[in-house]
Amino acid sequence: MTTTTSWLRRQLAGVIAVAVVVIGYFVVSLPATADAELDRMASRYAFTPMSIAMPAAATQQNIRKVNQDYEHIRAWISSVGAAVAMNDLDGDGLSNDLCLVDPRSDQIVLTPTPGARADRYAPFALDPAPLPMNDVLAPMGCVPADFNEDGRLDLLVYYWGRTSILYLAKPGATRLDASAYQPTELAPGPNSTGGRYTGPQWNTNTATVADFDGDGHQDIFIGNYFPDGPVLDDKASTGVEMNHSMSHAQNSGQKLLFRWTGTAAGAPTYQGRDDVFPEEARTGWSLASSATDLDGDLLPELYVANDFGPDRLLYNQSTPGRLQFRSTIGAHTPGVPKSKRLGNDSFKGMGVDFGDLGHNGLYDMFVSNITTSFGIQESNFHFSPTARDQAELRARLNDGEAPYTDRSGETGTAWSGWGWDVKIDDFDNSGDPVIAQATGFVKGGVNRWPQLQELATANDALLDNPLWWPKVESGDDIAGNQTLHFFVKGSDGRYTDLAPRLGLAVPVPTRGIGTGDSDGDGRLDFAVARQWEAPVFYHNESPSPGAFLGLRLTYDSPAAAGPLPATGSPVIGAEVTVTTADGRKHIGRVDGGSGHSGKRSHEVHIGLGDQASGPVQVRLQWRDRTGQARQSDLRMSPGWHSLQLGSQANER
């Protein structure tokens, strides 16, 4: 007996270790969903892939020229820039226009969605002339909004290598082509030498639009990645650096907020500031952002997803003309590691979107990270609110607490791949939104995961010098075969990626997802920007969609007259709450540009489910052009509606 007891004591550590491994396996392993259930879930969806028409390009490339210090990691540096926004740019009442950034040509392309009425205009590239440019910059994304408040949609284009440009729609344009836009500097200043751009070298990877100070006018957030410098100048060999840490890097470009101050000669004017954010939030290698009102005061909070370190959820405490934000952080809870604590995480934030996944009238948020099991296994964040209602949420945010907990493990959304853009939208009008996610990094033939793993464990003191980074050049591969993900909620509340069953799992790195209803049939279509591959459009042909409510919300100020129809100025930030007969709440907003490099249309689209047949209760909340908060309670039938919002809501 003594011998047996002694043996057990000697083996106790090993027994415990084995038990921990076994228990861990069952905790983290994803339960399998029966094929019959997967078939049932997939039967609700159907998408037809369609090619997107593109204009001729003077040059074609499959990788970018970069600063000489980055030469051995050219593919890494060239891994972003594919972008897409879906909206109504020609004023025909449908979100059937795309603004694409194509890294293969570095063009900003406007093109009709394929299918019906694709011949409305020829695809074309925006022309920045007469603004100064040079050959060591590249566009990274496109954000539609009405920046000069004339009722026509303009375009904000952000770059690596220069400040952002506003392409303002001309009221006198007779057709949609390059001449229909007037390029205007977002940040005017001395930026030209002999006609060549020599101004600040922003390296911007995210931008979003919202009325941050509540004055009734739209402001612009700019999130830069690399510190200002010649990242794409292959004649330079200095002036650049990498992140100084894999988990808390702060040596990044600036975060800037441009407050709208008026218009002059038909162009908007802005005051750019970086001191409106808390000091700890002014840096971070930003890849994505979302401005969404979480607590119901019609002042949007700002989530900034940062690579190599903590994301930031900034609580909005602004007043008209005065911008102010407070950092919030998740509660320190036993069992929750620092890496998953909102505001204190150490993952690679690369995409973010908000949606009500619990039908409790509060927004959840989904954040993309790197989640490759044999490479860098972090996890996505599926943050759900722990507050009971908006009042409690407001009080806790005001105290500096971010009342959210990550549920990605229990919901089945933790792991997908090298995540990028994400969109939470209802594609079958069931009332339960899907989480669509872009994944993949660099596609090639030589596996570079081992070298990346070595880098991930390297001493932080070495990381900011590109010299110490492992070779990632043209032909190398890191997560190159990862595919689009399409997480659908099952009857047990868990999500399953149905992309393989729906023909969406194409092994090509994807970056941006733009959503909108291109033909007005109530089913959301979407376009996908793919890095160094042709973009693709997915037409929604889901066979038995439920009812939906679609709202086009614009200000009541008249649009400028002109030969082309005007959409009206979208009320970005307007909130919609729908209550169905079964008591479930559905919320949505006019989004000003959530995500990484994909932007949804300005319409609010809410799926109502299979049982909805009659009118539903709708609460609209918005700020009018004076900054006054407004509210209207309406009974509305399912389908599309257009409303003008001023002191009250009027259906057109």
Side-chain angles (χ1 to χ4, degrees), residues 34-359:
D35 284 345
E37 173 66 3
L38 293 177
D39 289 341
R40 183 196 67 79
M41 292 164 62
S43 68
R44 294 190 61 99
Y45 303 93
F47 298 94
T48 297
M50 306 177 77
S51 298
I52 296 172
M54 302 290 282
T59 60
Q60 287 286 334
Q61 58 187 353
N62 59 13
I63 197 169
R64 288 198 176 96
K65 295 179 180 179
V66 299
N67 187 289
Q68 293 174 23
D69 288 0
Y70 289 147
E71 184 62 29
H72 67 293
I73 53 172
R74 282 181 64 193
W76 186 293
I77 303 301
S78 300
S79 64
V80 292
V84 60
M86 192 167 173
N87 226 299
D88 179 10
L89 301 180
D90 66 351
D92 69 351
L94 296 171
S95 289
N96 52 7
D97 304 295
L98 301 175
C99 181
L100 285 155
V101 177
D102 188 351
R104 298 172 303 169
S105 63
D106 279 340
Q107 289 182 318
I108 309 108
V109 171
L110 269 58
T111 183
T113 57
R117 305 186 66 243
D119 58 351
R120 286 171 289 122
Y121 57 91
F124 63 93
L126 291 175
D127 183 0
L131 299 185
M133 303 293 282
N134 59 44
D135 58 356
V136 293
L137 56 83
M140 290 286 143
C142 176
V143 186
D146 181 11
F147 297 103
N148 59 357
E149 301 183 355
D150 68 350
R152 302 177 184 279
L153 277 189
D154 313 304
L155 300 164
L156 166 72
V157 177
Y158 52 92
Y159 296 81
W160 277 9
R162 91 173 318 277
T163 54
S164 302
I165 295 177
L166 297 171
Y167 290 84
L168 303 177
K170 297 178 181 178
T174 58
R175 60 179 182 175
L176 200 61
D177 60 13
S179 67
Y181 292 89
Q182 178 65 49
T184 304
E185 297 284 6
L186 172 63
N191 59 14
S192 176
T193 302
R196 180 180 173 85
Y197 181 81
T198 54
Q201 293 176 306
W202 293 358
N203 294 296
T204 308
N205 262 132
T206 184
T208 193
V209 175
D211 178 6
F212 287 105
D213 65 346
D215 67 351
H217 306 283
Q218 305 300 330
D219 312 304
I220 300 171
F221 168 74
I222 296 289
N224 293 319
Y225 190 72
F226 289 100
D228 290 9
V231 173
L232 301 180
D233 188 350
D234 63 328
K235 300 177 184 62
S237 60
T238 57
V240 296
E241 58 185 307
M242 297 298 288
N243 46 292
H244 65 41
S245 170
M246 278 290 177
S247 58
H248 53 85
Q250 298 297 322
N251 61 325
S252 66
Q254 291 177 294
K255 310 295 161 281
L256 299 163
L257 208 157
F258 285 81
R259 186 177 67 83
W260 189 94
T261 56
T263 58
T269 57
Y270 295 91
Q271 179 188 47
R273 302 276 297 273
D274 67 348
D275 58 356
V276 301
F277 303 120
E279 186 173 354
E280 68 276 4
R282 295 175 191 175
T283 55
W285 295 65
S286 300
L287 284 172
S289 58
S290 178
T292 301
D293 174 23
L294 302 180
D295 65 351
D297 63 358
L298 294 177
L299 290 174
E301 278 60 60
L302 178 63
Y303 191 103
V304 183
N306 291 323
D307 203 355
F308 309 121
D311 294 351
R312 304 295 181 186
L313 176 59
L314 302 174
Y315 181 54
N316 195 340
Q317 298 177 312
S318 304
T319 55
R322 178 179 174 271
L323 293 160
Q324 182 177 349
F325 296 84
R326 175 173 185 172
S327 290
T328 64
I329 193 167
H332 184 67
T333 305
V336 177
K338 169 183 174 293
S339 59
K340 283 178 169 283
R341 189 180 174 199
L342 200 162
N344 199 30
D345 69 279
S346 56
F347 287 174
K348 314 298 184 293
M350 306 174 83
V352 60
D353 197 18
F354 287 84
D356 183 3
L357 300 173
H359 297 298

